[in-house]
Amino acid sequence: MASRLPTALPRRPTTSSTLSPFNTLAPQTTSSSIIPTLQQTQTRNATLIRRPKRPYAFTQVVQLSDGSTFTLRTCSPHALYKSTKDTRNHVMWNPSEKSLKNVEVDEAGKLAAFRGRYGRGWDAESVDPEGGAAEAAETKGSSKGGDAAKKDDKVGAASFESKFDSSYDPLGDLISSYAVGMPEDKGAKMAGSTKSKKK
Amino acid sequence: MASSARSSGVAAALLRRRPNVCASCRTTQFLRPYSVAAEAQATAEAHHLKPTQSKPHEPFTVSRQAEYRIRSGVILSRAPLLTRPLTPFENAFFFYQKRLNERLTTEFRHSMFFKKDTAADLDWRIKLEERGGLVAKELGRYYAKGRNAWNDELLVGSTLSDENRIRETLLKDAELRVTEDGEKAKPDEIVPVEKPQPRITESDKKNDVQKLDRKLDQTLYLVVKKPDGEWQFPADDMSTEENLHQAAQRILDAAAGPNMNTWIVGRVPVAHHVVQPQFKQDTSLDVKGEKTFFLKGRIMAGQADLKEGTLGYRKFKWLTKDELQELLPAPYFKSVRKMMADR
């Protein structure tokens, strides 16, 4: 396309050569170079502009998730498009709709079991009411050892957990939950000693 | 030229005779009144003068403040849920544009959208065959590349461009024509597509003015009935402790109960209505005037419930602008009509 444009020819050869200040510095050379081109006939052919390619457009009925419909022009050859997720059933546009809220379904208790074993380090967000429950379960696991001397350790552990809840350290949470789950007293005592040091 | 000059001279002379008439009176009361008394009465009415006053003087701001009560009100509206139906002309125009587009676009290449020898491909072929090889679904028997391509205009009275017909055609086309085995479905095996709900609802048919699912393509406004039988927007007196928008929210809760999810759009009133005070002969105040400022509100969910309301309203209605014009008193409607959209 660009090669067809008559760029080799100056638009106004006479005026540009005489009036431009750059050409006055070396008038002889420029005029000698332009004169033979002027002898050619100037052409003003229209450049070919192709019609833009437009894809074929169908009319389509779009049905939103609440059943409302509208028609639009689209490339898709399907006559009906049913949307499953749109502004009509998304929480962002329906903040007061309770059924759209993200509620964890855990009827089989698998998620709770996972948390009991590996802690809450993999949760997307810390949930306050369940956080207390998980903490209680962990303290129960630690009391399995049946040591009276551990009582102060328990208090220390609880404060430690609450610290973690605020600062959110997934790896530390994992390690501490493993330590709690172990049946040996030694590991628990060691953990307790470190905690008391931190205290 | 001469006659117009003469007539303007007459008007100027007339005005020169009454130099103490203000500019608005000069334009509005150009017709000569029958008597001086009538003229004085008209002036007094135009400027809301007290009985002993004869001519208007400086604007009253502070001095007449005590003669009015300031009230706040809410114009609660439900936004239209549907777009308006198109006019026959618009339908015909869009239909013509679609046919014109048929002549200008590139051809549809179905191999780009349908893999060969699949169920979708078979489905497309069956429907294409039924349309007589026409790719477009709703444009009638029009061959855009054929010999009669020029004949793209509809005749008067043709129903081809009808909105409902086009929707019906498209929904018919959306039916699946291939069985699960990948064979052509028999007529009794075709499952029709569920049709969308109509624009006219049950409440429209019953004309139940208390329902919110009526007139889905128009804005509805909440009006309530006062104990004295007059209809108006919910409004009440304000205390000096609260702002307009705070008062509007309080009034809305007090009038129509808390069972509504509403949103007061702004803090600036969208309309105001003035009732002039009435005076006795000795210029003492008889009845205070009212200045009501209306704020705009939207209802998102819920319904008005007057049983829990404390402002004493008995009935409510959700009405369109046209219906309000019939129901409300003329001066009242005149002062609020500008804030209402046409639809």
Side-chain angles (χ1 to χ4, degrees), chain A residues 48-177:
Chain A
L48 181 69
I49 300 173
R50 290 183 194 282
R51 182 182 287 280
K53 284 241 172 190
R54 262 194 300 156
Y56 189 84
F58 293 93
T59 310
Q60 188 181 51
V61 176
V62 177
Q63 186 163 33
L64 299 182
S65 55
D66 69 338
S68 57
T69 57
F70 57 92
T71 56
L72 52 76
R73 301 283 286 170
T74 170
C75 292
S76 160
H78 300 292
L80 176 69
Y81 173 75
K82 281 191 179 178
S83 131
T84 52
K85 198 74 184 173
D86 50 48
T87 55
R88 307 304 172 98
N89 62 353
H90 195 277
V91 196
M92 177 174 266
W93 286 272
N94 301 283
S96 58
E97 190 70 43
K98 274 178 193 156
S99 62
L100 299 176
K101 288 274 187 324
N102 184 17
V103 180
E104 188 178 282
V105 181
D106 187 22
E107 285 182 3
K110 285 191 173 181
L111 292 172
F114 182 88
R115 286 204 185 103
R117 190 165 180 189
Y118 300 110
R120 303 185 62 87
W122 275 268
D123 283 11
E125 287 171 10
S126 59
V127 189
D128 290 333
E130 291 191 18
E135 206 170 89
E138 284 188 0
T139 48
K140 206 196 274 175
S142 66
S143 68
K144 259 183 198 169
D147 238 342
K150 268 188 189 171
K151 272 183 186 173
D152 55 341
D153 286 355
K154 266 186 226 166
V155 176
S159 67
F160 198 57
E161 292 295 348
S162 64
K163 254 187 214 167
F164 265 126
D165 277 349
S166 58
S167 64
Y168 187 65
D169 185 2
L171 197 63
D173 188 21
L174 174 66
I175 292 167
S176 66
S177 65

Side-chain angles (χ1 to χ4, degrees), chain B residues 227-248:
Chain B
D228 63 353
E230 202 169 294
W231 288 92
Q232 63 165 25
F233 297 110
D236 194 24
D237 293 328
M238 296 172 59
S239 71
T240 50
E241 300 296 317
E242 55 188 355
N243 293 331
L244 266 182
H245 64 279
Q246 292 165 344

